[in-house]
Amino acid sequence: MRIFAISALVAMLLVTMGCGTTEVRDRPEDCGGDEYFDEGRERCRICPAVDEPQCLPGCGFTVVEDNRGCPLLQCDPTCPGCDEGEEWDPDEERCEPI
């Protein structure tokens, strides 16, 4: 039991001492799906919340990635806008009755 306690103490000391630095640094491959790598801070950061864009009436949006790799919603650039009671059909590339 005493050897276990000493081993645990030594392990905690090694973890807290690290490799001579107390600053934590990430690598790009350490970032999860909802994070991006901030090169200036060398840290993984959570992507900002995604806001729904104000598209033309009847037009939808698509999900793209910004320059950091975070999701971004973008209005469908091929949609000219639809009249009331219609919605844009991206397959047909025209407004269709709802």
Side-chain angles (χ1 to χ4, degrees), residues 8-24:
L9 181 60
V10 170
M12 284 187 347
L13 286 172
L14 290 174
V15 168
T16 57
M17 289 173 52
C19 297
T21 180
T22 58
E23 189 173 341
V24 177

Side-chain angles (χ1 to χ4, degrees), residues 5-87:
I6 292 172
S7 297
L9 181 60
V10 170
M12 284 187 347
L13 286 172
L14 290 174
V15 168
T16 57
M17 289 173 52
C19 297
T21 180
T22 58
E23 189 173 341
V24 177
R25 297 185 191 273
D26 291 326
R27 298 169 301 180
E29 56 269 17
D30 294 335
C31 300
D34 61 342
E35 297 177 317
Y36 69 95
F37 185 70
D38 183 338
E39 291 183 17
R41 295 183 175 155
E42 296 182 336
R43 302 275 305 163
C44 292
R45 311 234 345 166
I46 295 177
C47 289
V50 179
D51 293 324
E52 186 174 338
Q54 297 297 314
C55 301
L56 293 171
C59 295
F61 51 83
T62 57
V63 179
V64 296
E65 286 188 353
D66 65 11
N67 60 347
R68 299 171 293 193
C70 292
L72 179 69
L73 300 181
Q74 189 175 57
C75 293
D76 183 348
T78 63
C79 181
C82 298
D83 294 330
E84 180 120 7
E86 295 182 324
E87 67 181 10

